[in-house]
């Protein structure tokens, strides 16, 4: 979807159309959830601190996010997808991979499927979407950004190498500013440069990720579209208006743990084994502490108690202040597996 949250806001409030809209709460601690294309012209991007967005675009209109509405629209879009294929892998509310090797309507090409989907999205939501059509997920992801907004782009298998060769390495998924700088030290600036680099050297420098980079430079990605992903983690977190000491986190951990436990209770098929505490300091250092008890956590009280105990394993100076705390449940296993294991000892 194109600038999804901001586009929903502009659709529902005509006075916002054609204006720079930033979906975020105002304030020094807030981050941008989405920016309209009018705001992007000023350099505003999602995940940017809201205060920086305000400096870049003083005339921006800040709108607090409304995820209930966004989820409702996302549900409509997902239903449109399902008319064409059951192989749908959502990445977020506004993005998904679809495998249309065999499509339900028997359309002649993936290009036609993408056109039909985009047309239906616009007719039923009054919002635009962009699509990338390619032989694998990696290439499709890059192609989906090529003709935004409201466009689509096809990378045919025979054209993949030529398409990739001149691309800056920063266009590859997983290559951020830090990795880009490391590659630059090896005189690697483009995807074509990666292809020319010795694969053993890349593996030596970056381990398994070096091998992955080499594969991507040839357009190789064998990851299938997975329509049903089992739960990996359920968590909640909160950023504070002001930095807090470790001792002052207790009521916040309690509140966040309750929110996480409520979400966990909706999980019917799988059980979590591990409790996770996440903290971010005022210096933006992120640390996690986790514990996997011998027995399955049965209630919110035990969950909270362990989350609190994890604070004791935070070995930082007493004057350290924290801007964020999160509490989660991870290491999920099937409940049937637990019952089977228990029967071995009955």
């Amino acid at each position: 979807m194109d600038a999804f949250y901001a586009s929903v806001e502009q659709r529902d409030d005509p006075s916002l159309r054609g204006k720079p809209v930033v979906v975020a709460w105002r304030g020094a601690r807030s981050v941008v959830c989405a920016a309209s294309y009018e705001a992007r012209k000023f350099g505003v991007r999602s995940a940017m601190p809201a205060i920086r967005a305000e400096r870049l675009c003083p005339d921006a209109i800040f709108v607090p996010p409304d995820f209930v509405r966004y989820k409702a629209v996302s549900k409509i879009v997902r239903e449109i997808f399902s008319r064409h294929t059951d192989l749908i892998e959502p990445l977020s509310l506004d993005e998904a991979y679809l495998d249309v090797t065999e499509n339900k309507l028997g359309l002649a090409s993936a290009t036609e499927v993408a056109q039909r989907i985009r047309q239906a999205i616009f007719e039923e939501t009054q919002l635009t979407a962009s699509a990338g059509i390619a032989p694998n997920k990696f290439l499709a992801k890059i192609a989906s950004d090529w003709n935004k907004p409201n466009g689509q782009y096809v990378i045919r298998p025979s054209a993949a190498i030529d398409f990739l060769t001149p691309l800056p390495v920063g266009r590859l998924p997983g290559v951020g500013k830090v990795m880009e700088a490391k590659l630059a030290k090896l005189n690697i600036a483009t995807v074509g440069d990666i292809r020319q680099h010795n694969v053993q050297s890349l593996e030596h420098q970056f381990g398994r990720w070096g091998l992955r980079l080499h594969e991507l430079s040839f357009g190789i990605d064998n990851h299938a579209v997975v329509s049903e992903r089992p739960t990996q983690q359920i968590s909640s977190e909160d950023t504070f208006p002001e930095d807090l000491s470790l001792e002052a986190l207790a009521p916040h951990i309690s509140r966040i743990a309750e929110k996480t436990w409520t979400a966990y209770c909706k999980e019917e098929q799988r059980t979590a084994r591990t409790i996770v505490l996440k903290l971010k300091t005022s210096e933006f250092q992120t640390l996690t502490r986790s514990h996997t008890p011998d027995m399955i956590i049965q209630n919110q009280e035990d969950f909270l108690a362990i989350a609190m105990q994890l604070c004791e394993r935070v070995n930082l100076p007493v004057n350290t202040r924290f801007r964020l705390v999160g509490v989660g449940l991870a290491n999920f296993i099937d409940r049937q597996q637990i019952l089977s294991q228990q029967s071995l000892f009955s």
Side-chain angles (χ1 to χ4, degrees):
M1 302 298 290
D2 298 325
F4 183 47
Y5 303 161
S7 295
V8 172
E9 298 296 342
Q10 290 178 315
R11 180 197 67 176
D12 295 346
D13 183 352
S15 70
L16 298 177
R17 295 173 189 171
K19 298 179 180 178
V21 174
V22 176
V23 179
W25 289 280
R26 284 185 181 273
R29 319 292 287 191
S30 179
V31 297
V32 175
C33 297
S36 69
Y37 284 96
E38 294 85 357
R40 293 184 187 189
K41 293 177 181 177
F42 294 86
V44 180
R45 296 289 184 270
S46 61
M48 174 184 291
I51 195 166
R52 185 182 174 204
E54 196 167 2
R55 287 198 298 266
L56 289 172
C57 185
D59 294 329
I61 301 171
F62 280 74
V63 180
D66 184 348
F67 289 103
V68 173
R69 276 192 297 137
Y70 308 151
K71 287 178 181 178
V73 177
S74 180
K75 186 177 180 180
I76 295 171
V77 174
R78 189 80 55 82
E79 193 279 325
I80 293 171
F81 292 162
S82 68
R83 299 173 198 169
H84 296 269
T85 179
D86 291 327
L87 291 174
I88 304 165
E89 181 180 337
L91 301 181
S92 58
L93 290 179
D94 65 337
E95 189 173 15
Y97 290 114
L98 280 68
D99 185 336
V100 296
T101 305
E102 296 179 8
N103 67 84
K104 293 180 178 180
L105 300 185
L107 299 177
S109 69
T111 303
E112 187 177 356
V113 173
Q115 290 170 335
R116 290 281 192 99
I117 288 174
R118 291 176 50 243
Q119 180 181 353
I121 288 173
F122 183 74
E123 290 174 352
E124 298 178 36
T125 70
Q126 290 76 57
L127 298 170
T128 63
S130 297
I133 302 101
N136 60 46
K137 291 164 68 173
F138 153 62
L139 291 171
K141 170 65 174 172
I142 293 179
S144 69
D145 290 327
W146 212 251
N147 277 337
K148 271 184 169 291
N150 195 24
Q152 61 185 56
Y153 190 82
V154 180
I155 302 176
R156 301 184 184 280
S158 60
I161 294 294
D162 289 340
F163 175 84
L164 289 170
T165 297
L167 286 187
V169 290
R171 294 301 297 263
L172 297 179
V175 177
K177 296 295 183 183
V178 174
M179 176 58 74
E180 204 170 350
K182 290 180 179 179
L183 291 170
K185 291 180 179 179
L186 300 175
N187 295 317
I188 296 176
T190 68
V191 176
D193 293 337
I194 297 175
R195 197 180 306 134
Q196 298 301 319
H197 212 77
N198 182 275
V199 63
Q200 285 79 21
S201 174
L202 288 171
E203 184 179 15
H204 176 73
Q205 291 281 339
F206 306 113
R208 186 177 299 176
W209 177 235
L211 294 176
R212 174 69 171 160
L213 283 174
H214 196 256
E215 288 181 348
L216 293 180
S217 73
F218 283 91
I220 298 171
D221 179 18
N222 296 318
H223 291 89
V225 173
V226 181
S227 57
E228 294 279 341
R229 285 191 181 275
T231 302
Q232 301 297 318
Q233 180 167 318
I234 293 176
S235 62
S236 303
E237 59 185 44
D238 194 13
T239 301
F240 312 126
E242 297 179 355
D243 299 332
L244 301 175
S245 66
L246 188 64
E247 293 75 15
L249 296 181
H252 300 281
I253 292 174
S254 178
R255 172 174 52 81
I256 295 169
E258 180 180 0
K259 185 177 179 180
T260 299
W261 188 263
T262 299
Y264 174 58
C265 289
K266 299 176 183 178
E267 182 68 34
E268 298 179 352
Q269 303 299 326
R270 291 164 62 78
T271 297
R273 293 294 321 280
T274 302
I275 295 85
V276 181
L277 176 71
K278 173 184 175 182
L279 296 168
K280 183 178 289 187
T281 71
S282 57
E283 302 299 320
F284 290 86
Q285 176 189 358
T286 300
L287 61 153
T288 59
R289 298 292 182 268
S290 63
H291 176 63
T292 304
D294 294 333
M295 302 296 291
I296 298 297
I297 298 297
Q298 300 288 348
N299 54 65
Q300 181 179 322
E301 290 73 22
D302 292 344
F303 170 48
L304 175 59
I306 293 174
M308 292 294 191
Q309 290 169 10
L310 289 172
C311 287
E312 299 173 7
R313 291 170 46 193
V314 178
N315 301 317
L316 293 176
V318 69
N319 62 345
T320 302
R321 294 295 180 265
F322 299 89
R323 71 189 315 269
L324 175 148
V325 66
V327 183
L329 288 155
N331 189 16
F332 279 77
I333 61 174
D334 292 336
R335 292 191 175 168
Q336 191 61 42
Q337 182 180 347
I338 297 174
L339 295 174
S340 299
Q341 292 174 348
Q342 288 175 340
S343 67
L344 294 174
F345 302 95
S346 60

